[in-house]
Amino acid sequence: MTVPRARRALVLYPRLVPMGGAQGVAAWIVHALQPDHEVTLIGWEAPHLEAVNRRYGTALDPRRLRIEVARSRLLRHIPARVLRLDDLRSWSLQRVARRKAPHYDLVIGAGNEADLGDRAIQYVHDPSLVFRRRGGMDRGWYHATTLLEVAYFELGARLTGFAYSRMRRNLTLVPSRWVGEWVQRVHAIDPVVLHPPAAGTFPDVPWRERVDGFVWCGRLWPDRNVERAIDIVERVRRHGGPATLTLIGATGGSRNVEHIRYGERIRALVRDRAAWVTLHLDVDRTDLCRIMASHRYGLGTVEEGFGMAVAELVRAGAITFLPRGGGQAEVVGDDERLLFSTEEEAVRKGVATMRDPALQDSLRATLLPIRDRFSSGSFVRELRRLVGAAPASHP
């Protein structure tokens, strides 16, 4: 019997590091393809696969994965620390990938909108800033006005050969219905929802044995608003008893000065509250699952497209409170008992839940059937199905 040759797959992701949910999705895309594809991962730097596997629970095998580090003459002399040209960098990487794409049967861009030549697959976590302005966020001079946005897009597209029409022909995957609605409004594309995987084996810790406290998990960056979690739990303690807070922070080895200073600030806040706040940095998947499953409650602090950490908390069996709005609300079934618009509402609902065992039982029962939707097994099965249904990028 002749064994069929593995299909060749090219996966594009700028910087695969053990940090946030988007990086986790990219890692699991490669993981899902490895059994029956010859996979090449292309980005701006070579990933530390062992660290990625520890963080996300993947089994990326360096013996079966080809790593390519892209080179761009266009950006060679423009360091990231000088200008935050994120979209231009992304398009420049896509330009490199387009030259390689004809040699592959399947091409996947794992980091938002992508022009990869022929019809490909793109996973859009958040419609790119050049296509959708985000009010109130300092994203650089080139997003200051509509006129500058248009000029930046046109110039960047001309320099890199990015074609909007080709991007729109891709099969588009999104992490939540909320992001899917944005993509539809911005691009008139009908995407497919593929929830990111909240991977790992979460211990089944009895409720009575769990810590009567909260867990927060995410990047230790300013946009994650870690102070909000500290403030909420501090106010819960004033009204509802001795709740604790455990922070699971990821740094990704960032050398960004702003990120470093923010991490120092958070560590100072933790030191001042050492009696009830604990900080764990860059933990592996086993420890992350253990810590989450040992607590009764989870806490999110930002509106986002999905929130892999939120899904991990729900899979760990934690009753998780989240900001109202964004895709993360879908992780808890849009249950109003768990959603808040203000810190006052978060404190009120947190205290009420901690005081009411019957309410705890009701919320746990509601979240129980949701947990399996976000497993790594569900993600892998659905991605493989979609890859099989999608036409090959190049014959």
Side-chain angles (χ1 to χ4, degrees):
M1 182 178 69
T2 302
V3 178
R5 181 178 60 84
R7 295 177 68 198
R8 295 158 300 177
L10 178 66
V11 179
L12 179 74
Y13 194 79
R15 184 169 181 259
L16 183 55
V17 294
M19 189 161 47
Q23 291 84 0
V25 170
W28 274 97
I29 286 174
V30 175
H31 176 103
L33 295 177
Q34 269 193 335
D36 47 16
H37 290 78
E38 295 174 352
V39 183
T40 297
L41 174 67
I42 185 170
W44 289 123
E45 62 183 66
H48 188 320
L49 294 183
E50 184 179 348
V52 170
N53 287 334
R54 284 199 306 268
R55 174 65 179 175
Y56 297 114
T58 47
L60 305 187
D61 187 345
R63 297 167 299 180
R64 303 180 60 190
L65 176 62
R66 183 180 178 186
I67 304 294
E68 290 199 14
V69 177
R71 297 286 183 263
S72 170
R73 279 182 277 181
L74 176 65
L75 297 179
R76 183 177 298 168
H77 304 297
I78 308 179
R81 63 180 179 273
V82 176
L83 292 175
R84 291 176 292 175
L85 303 177
D86 296 337
D87 297 302
L88 184 58
R89 292 179 185 281
S90 178
W91 297 336
S92 184
L93 181 61
Q94 291 169 28
R95 182 184 186 181
V96 175
R98 277 197 301 274
R99 293 199 294 265
K100 300 177 179 294
H103 303 290
Y104 291 88
D105 305 296
L106 172 68
V107 181
I108 300 180
N112 291 333
E113 296 94 334
D115 169 17
L116 298 170
D118 248 340
R119 176 175 162 87
I121 297 176
Q122 60 189 7
Y123 198 107
V124 179
H125 305 273
D126 183 15
S128 181
L129 292 170
V130 77
F131 305 118
R132 175 172 72 84
R133 295 176 62 197
R134 290 165 67 166
M137 298 185 70
D138 175 19
R139 290 291 183 169
W141 57 267
Y142 51 88
H143 293 299
T145 68
T146 301
L147 181 60
L148 279 179
E149 282 183 352
V150 171
Y152 172 64
F153 178 85
E154 292 299 331
L155 178 61
R158 286 178 180 273
L159 287 173
T160 62
F162 181 94
Y164 186 78
S165 59
R166 287 198 298 256
M167 180 276 289
R168 291 185 67 249
R169 290 200 296 267
N170 290 337
L171 171 63
T172 302
L173 309 179
V174 292
S176 64
R177 295 191 310 274
W178 184 81
V179 173
E181 290 167 1
W182 264 114
V183 168
Q184 215 290 326
R185 284 197 292 269
V186 172
H187 300 309
I189 292 173
D190 291 322
V192 175
V193 176
L194 177 59
H195 296 301
T201 301
F202 295 87
D204 187 13
V205 181
W207 191 251
R208 65 181 178 278
E209 296 177 12
R210 292 181 177 229
V211 177
D212 199 25
F214 295 79
V215 175
W216 176 95
C217 180
R219 296 189 303 268
L220 216 61
W221 290 8
D223 65 342
R224 297 293 93 185
N225 205 353
V226 187
E227 299 96 330
R228 192 181 196 190
I230 295 172
D231 184 61
I232 288 172
V233 177
E234 194 160 39
R235 293 165 67 178
V236 166
R237 288 173 59 83
R238 294 193 201 119
H239 295 89
T244 61
L245 173 64
T246 299
L247 304 172
I248 305 175
T251 65
S254 175
R255 296 181 294 274
N256 182 290
V257 173
E258 184 181 7
H259 298 163
I260 293 171
R261 289 175 178 170
Y262 185 76
E264 292 171 349
R265 178 183 174 187
I266 296 303
R267 281 189 281 270
L269 291 175
V270 170
R271 284 194 299 269
D272 292 341
R273 296 159 177 81
W276 56 275
V277 182
T278 304
L279 173 62
H280 300 272
L281 288 176
D282 298 321
V283 302
D284 61 25
R285 177 63 32 173
T286 300
D287 285 340
L288 182 144
C289 294
R290 175 184 56 78
I291 294 168
M292 287 184 171
S294 67
H295 288 71
R296 291 186 173 184
Y297 307 103
L299 183 61
T301 51
V302 295
E303 294 184 6
E304 50 191 330
F306 176 75
M308 185 183 285
V310 169
E312 290 165 347
L313 286 164
V314 170
R315 285 205 67 219
I319 296 173
T320 304
F321 299 90
L322 305 168
R324 184 181 287 105
Q328 79 283 346
E330 297 171 30
V331 180
V332 295
D334 296 295
D335 193 320
E336 274 296 319
R337 296 174 295 177
L338 297 172
L339 303 178
F340 60 85
S341 297
T342 65
E343 293 183 11
E344 290 77 13
E345 186 178 7
V347 172
R348 185 174 69 251
K349 290 183 175 181
V351 170
T353 303
M354 295 182 77
R355 289 175 174 172
D356 189 345
L359 178 56
Q360 295 168 22
D361 291 342
S362 175
L363 288 169
R364 292 174 62 210
T366 299
L367 293 174
L368 184 61
I370 297 176
R371 292 162 64 174
D372 287 341
R373 296 181 197 170
F374 311 117
S375 69
S376 56
S378 295
F379 178 87
V380 168
R381 285 191 297 272
E382 183 62 9
L383 179 66
R384 286 177 173 164
R385 185 189 70 79
L386 291 167
V387 165
S393 296
H394 297 273

